[in-house]
């Protein structure tokens, strides 16, 4: 028997005599009978000639392509790249020079941001520590009860142990919290800070848009304050006006960059946030916070609530003075609401991916509202 070599079929142990063009493989006569009867088959000599011709063609084509690339073109490309590098470096240097003052102004805010986050984290740690102390005392009592059960018979122990086990599960639920809440998210903070440092931190000078003001809202002459009226005003009807809620947009939409604006109210109920221009102007879904088209922080004398997509978030901090700042970074989608005094106190923040420009949005219920910047 002829010894097996690489010239034999591994499956049938027979010599490889043909080439299957469809599967690009050499086959034996048994392979042809089983799998390749309807395929194009070549003798090994024919296959060699065909493959040799294909290789020759590919080699000639690549040689032609290489020859077509001229050294002069490469030198011009090299010069262009060097010129682009110089120009980009010049523009970058100028950009950082122009932003130096802005970076200095941002420094104080960023330090405050870190301090505020640190205080909030320390507060969470203190609260959890107090909870652990209470639960430790509770578990000691449960332990004493469990030991007292051991004095009785087995049946009594089993029957009376169920409430104790239930209380242990409750205690476990109380102490099981996400430990990441007790540490500063340095990567997230660094990302936010870096984003702020790379942007201009613009504060848009806004004028409220009279075309969007509800019929019961009166705008000041400079369009920077709004008051709730007792009677409907004789405004013209237009598709941009909010008809069912006491709401108004600013004149300018935001589609890029970092921005912040302040407003205050001496009234009992008011709110500020952002919304897409595509929000409805009448009906239930025109209310700021009802759908995915708007985000709004509502303030009153006894509560602060954030609304978005008809979901309510209660804010535990109730400002003693109604001066609020909204900070928005459009590209990152990070928006935060701060109570403004001698320092900034974060009330709420959220992250979203904006799909269209947003308008600063305001609502005024039984109150007046004034823009401060």
């Amino acid at each position: 028997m002829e010894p097996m070599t690489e010239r034999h079929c591994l499956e049938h142990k027979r010599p490889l005599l043909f080439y299957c063009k469809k599967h690009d493989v050499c086959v034996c006569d048994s392979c042809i009978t089983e799998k390749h009867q309807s395929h194009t088959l070549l003798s090994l000599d024919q296959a060699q000639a065909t493959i040799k011709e294909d290789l020759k063609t590919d080699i000639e084509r690549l040689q032609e392509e290489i020859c077509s690339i001229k050294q002069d073109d490469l030198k011009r490309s090299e010069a262009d790249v060097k010129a682009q590098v110089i120009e980009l470096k010049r523009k970058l240097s100028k950009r950082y020079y122009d932003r130096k003052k802005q970076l200095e102004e941002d420094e104080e805010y960023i330090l405050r941001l870190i301090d505020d986050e640190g205080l909030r984290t320390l507060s969470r740690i203190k609260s959890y520590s107090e909870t652990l102390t209470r639960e430790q005392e509770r578990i000691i009592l449960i332990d004493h009860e469990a030991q007292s059960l051991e004095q009785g018979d087995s049946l009594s122990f089993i029957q009376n142990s169920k409430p104790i086990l239930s209380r242990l599960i409750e205690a476990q639920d109380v102490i099981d919290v996400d430990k990441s809440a007790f540490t500063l998210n340095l990567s997230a903070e660094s990302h936010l800070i870096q984003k702020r440092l790379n942007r201009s931190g613009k504060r848009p000078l806004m004028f409220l848009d009279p075309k969007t003001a509800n019929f019961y809202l009166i705008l000041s002459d400079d369009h920077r304050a709004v008051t709730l009226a007792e009677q409907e005003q004789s405004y013209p009807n237009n598709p941009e006006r909010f008809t069912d809620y006491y709401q108004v947009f600013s004149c300018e939409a935001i589609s890029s960059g970092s921005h912040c604006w302040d407003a205050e109210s001496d009234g009992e109920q008011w709110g500020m946030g952002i919304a897409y221009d595509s929000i409805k102007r009448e009906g239930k879904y025109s209310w700021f916070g009802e759908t995915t088209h708007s985000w709004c922080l509502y303030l009153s004398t006894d509560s602060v609530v954030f609304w978005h997509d008809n979901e309510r978030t209660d804010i535990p901090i109730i400002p003693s003075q109604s001066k609020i700042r909204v900070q928005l970074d459009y590209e990152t989608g990070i928006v935060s609401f701060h109570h403004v005094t001698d320092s900034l106190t974060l009330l709420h923040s959220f992250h979203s991916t904006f799909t269209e420009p947003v308008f600063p949005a305001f609502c005024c219920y039984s109150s007046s509202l004034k823009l401060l910047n």
Side-chain angles (χ1 to χ4, degrees):
M1 182 177 179
E2 183 179 357
M4 286 287 296
T5 68
E6 61 181 7
R7 306 178 65 85
H8 288 73
C9 173
L10 294 178
E11 183 177 355
H12 301 104
K13 319 303 182 189
R14 296 179 64 80
L16 298 172
L17 301 175
F18 302 95
Y19 171 79
C20 176
K21 194 170 183 180
K22 179 177 180 179
H23 291 119
D24 187 24
V25 64
C26 293
V27 297
C28 69
D29 50 6
S30 296
C31 291
I32 295 174
T33 303
E34 293 181 5
K35 302 178 182 178
H36 303 274
Q37 280 186 334
S38 60
H39 301 165
T40 300
L41 298 170
L42 303 176
S43 69
L44 297 182
D45 290 340
Q46 290 173 323
Q48 179 186 16
T50 300
I51 295 173
K52 183 177 180 180
E53 184 64 29
D54 290 342
L55 286 173
K56 180 180 178 182
T57 301
D58 289 342
I59 291 171
E60 290 176 349
R61 177 178 54 79
L62 288 174
Q63 288 177 335
E64 290 176 0
E65 289 182 6
I66 292 173
C67 291
S68 67
I69 301 175
K70 298 180 180 179
Q71 290 299 320
D72 290 344
D73 293 336
L74 293 177
K75 290 181 179 179
R76 279 195 296 271
S77 297
E78 182 181 358
D80 289 343
V81 169
K82 290 180 178 179
Q84 290 175 20
V85 168
I86 293 173
E87 180 63 14
L88 287 173
K89 289 172 68 176
R90 184 192 68 79
K91 289 182 178 179
L92 187 63
S93 297
K94 184 177 185 301
R95 178 183 300 177
Y96 278 98
Y97 175 82
D98 293 340
R99 290 185 178 180
K100 182 178 180 181
K101 183 178 180 180
Q102 183 64 54
L103 295 178
E104 292 172 351
E105 293 175 355
D106 282 346
E107 181 180 8
E108 183 178 355
Y109 167 78
I110 292 170
L111 293 176
R112 259 195 219 124
L113 180 71
I114 296 172
D115 284 340
D116 288 346
E117 179 62 22
L119 290 174
R120 283 192 297 273
T121 304
L122 291 175
S123 177
R124 290 193 292 267
I125 293 174
K126 181 180 178 182
S127 176
Y128 184 63
S129 176
E130 293 171 350
T131 299
L132 288 180
T133 299
R134 290 194 302 270
E135 291 305 313
Q136 186 176 25
E137 295 172 352
R138 182 181 176 188
I139 292 172
I140 290 174
L141 293 176
I142 293 175
D143 183 41
H144 289 163
E145 290 183 35
Q147 292 181 25
S148 66
L149 289 180
E150 296 178 2
Q151 306 303 319
D153 58 84
S154 298
L155 178 61
S156 297
F157 179 85
I158 294 172
Q159 292 174 333
N160 294 322
S161 65
K162 291 183 178 179
I164 294 179
L165 291 173
S166 177
R167 288 161 60 195
L168 282 174
I169 292 174
E170 292 176 1
Q172 184 67 53
D173 291 339
V174 171
I175 64 176
D176 282 345
V177 297
D178 185 0
K179 300 303 189 298
S180 65
F182 307 140
T183 60
L184 288 176
N185 187 347
L186 297 180
S187 61
E189 290 295 325
S190 298
H191 178 72
L192 176 59
I193 291 170
Q194 188 62 42
K195 286 291 183 181
R196 289 192 58 82
L197 290 177
N198 289 339
R199 301 187 187 280
S200 60
K202 295 180 287 185
R203 291 174 172 237
L205 182 63
M206 294 186 289
F207 297 94
L208 297 175
D209 187 357
K211 298 191 302 298
T212 66
N214 178 272
F215 288 105
Y216 282 87
L217 295 181
I218 301 176
L219 270 59
S220 61
D221 292 339
D222 62 1
H223 293 176
R224 291 181 50 75
V226 59
T227 304
L228 182 64
E230 294 182 359
Q231 297 181 343
E232 184 175 310
Q233 304 300 298
S234 57
Y235 297 146
N237 286 311
N238 64 71
E240 299 174 75
R241 190 176 307 284
F242 291 102
T243 61
D244 293 342
Y245 298 99
Y246 305 143
Q247 302 176 160
V248 62
F249 270 171
S250 69
C251 288
E252 298 295 329
I254 296 172
S255 59
S256 64
S258 179
H259 307 260
C260 69
W261 57 94
D262 297 352
E264 67 178 358
S265 172
D266 57 4
E268 296 181 352
Q269 296 182 8
W270 65 295
M272 59 191 297
I274 56 174
Y276 292 148
D277 189 42
S278 58
I279 188 175
K280 294 183 180 296
R281 297 305 202 267
E282 62 180 0
K284 173 184 177 182
Y285 297 114
S286 65
W287 184 70
F288 294 156
E290 179 66 27
T291 69
T292 58
H293 289 67
S294 58
W295 301 255
C296 192
L297 185 76
Y298 289 94
L299 302 102
S300 65
T301 54
D302 58 358
S303 68
V304 180
V305 180
F306 176 78
W307 283 91
H308 171 63
D309 196 16
N310 197 30
E311 291 189 1
R312 170 184 179 137
T313 302
D314 291 292
I315 310 302
I317 302 173
I318 302 177
S320 58
Q321 300 176 359
S322 294
K323 182 178 178 182
I324 303 299
R325 174 172 297 170
V326 178
Q327 294 181 315
L328 179 152
D329 190 306
Y330 188 88
E331 278 77 13
T332 64
I334 297 174
V335 181
S336 58
F337 298 84
H338 297 263
H339 179 216
V340 182
T341 54
D342 293 336
S343 61
L344 295 179
T345 301
L346 179 65
L347 299 177
H348 184 70
S349 65
F350 68 88
H351 174 267
S352 183
T353 300
F354 298 125
T355 57
E356 57 183 282
V358 296
F359 281 86
F362 306 88
C363 53
C364 184
Y365 297 87
S366 67
S367 63
S368 62
L369 182 150
K370 180 181 180 182
L371 298 178
L372 301 179
N373 60 319

